[in-house]
Amino acid sequence: MDDDFAKSAGEIVGSALCGKGGEESRKKARGVRYRPEYWSLVNLSIKLSELSENWRAVAGEPLASRSAPAACEEDGGRFVITVNVPDQMVLSSARFRKARLEREISAFFGGAAVSVDFRVGPIRTPAQPARSAPQKVYRRAPVVNGEEEIAERAKFFLGGGMSPELAGAMARVMLSLEKLSKRRR
């Protein structure tokens, strides 16, 4: 169990998909056509999500708030990480931090060979939900009650023994409900 704790999410998912016996026993047991490129894509996706979750710790605050990892590819045993930045000004300053960022990402992946490419593009962080379109709010016109109407209805409640303030409030509520029910929907 301690071995699972030290593994990355990609290694755990890979071992769960292939089983303890490896890929050969999986092919024989299920009769499924095994394609290793699918599992490598799953592994790359998991590594990119791990990097995205820990981006602030890996990239450092000046760069982390103005950038986000966008893509992860494997090219000859080397991870190529594409990092999006919002504009050209940030792009030129980020290029000065490229070597440091490559060292940090390499350390995050346990010493793997890493190359970083910067490009101008949208920045999406895991904590930032997609914006939804604002919902329309339909409001009705306010109900206007005259003082004479309120006084007339308040007499009904005063006859029942209510206090004058409560009778006035109840008269306003009663008139408002009556007027709202007469309106067309």
Side-chain angles (χ1 to χ4, degrees), residues 140-160:
R140 293 183 175 176
V143 176
V144 179
N145 296 321
E147 292 297 322
E148 295 169 359
E149 293 175 307
I150 295 172
E152 187 177 318
R153 294 294 171 119
K155 289 178 187 175
F156 172 77
F157 292 108
L158 286 171

Side-chain angles (χ1 to χ4, degrees), residues 33-51:
R33 216 166 133 199
Y34 179 72
R35 294 194 166 177
E37 64 269 11
Y38 291 151
W39 305 127
S40 65
L41 289 175
V42 168
N43 191 21
L44 284 174
S45 298
I46 291 172
K47 286 194 179 294
L48 182 62
S49 68
E50 287 175 345
L51 182 63

Side-chain angles (χ1 to χ4, degrees), residues 43-157:
N43 191 21
L44 284 174
S45 298
I46 291 172
K47 286 194 179 294
L48 182 62
S49 68
E50 287 175 345
L51 182 63
S52 296
E53 289 290 324
N54 298 303
W55 184 245
R56 289 211 182 276
V58 173
E61 188 47 45
L63 183 61
S65 62
R66 310 279 326 263
S67 64
C72 180
E73 299 172 356
E74 189 173 3
D75 184 26
R78 182 178 201 82
F79 289 118
V80 179
I81 310 288
T82 304
V83 177
N84 282 357
V85 293
D87 54 33
Q88 286 289 43
M89 196 160 78
V90 177
L91 179 66
S92 63
S93 66
R95 286 184 178 151
F96 287 111
R97 296 189 174 123
K98 181 177 179 176
R100 182 180 144 303
L101 185 61
E102 286 176 346
R103 282 193 307 268
E104 293 294 324
I105 294 174
S106 177
F108 179 75
F109 286 142
V114 173
S115 176
V116 175
D117 291 331
F118 293 101
R119 72 174 184 192
V120 175
I123 297 174
R124 293 186 184 99
T125 58
Q128 180 182 11
R131 291 184 180 179
S132 62
Q135 296 180 358
K136 293 182 179 178
V137 177
Y138 296 103
R139 301 184 83 181
R140 293 183 175 176
V143 176
V144 179
N145 296 321
E147 292 297 322
E148 295 169 359
E149 293 175 307
I150 295 172
E152 187 177 318
R153 294 294 171 119
K155 289 178 187 175
F156 172 77
F157 292 108

Side-chain angles (χ1 to χ4, degrees), residues 7-21:
K7 291 181 182 178
S8 70
E11 292 170 345
I12 293 171
V13 170
S15 65
L17 292 173
C18 293
K20 295 286 183 186

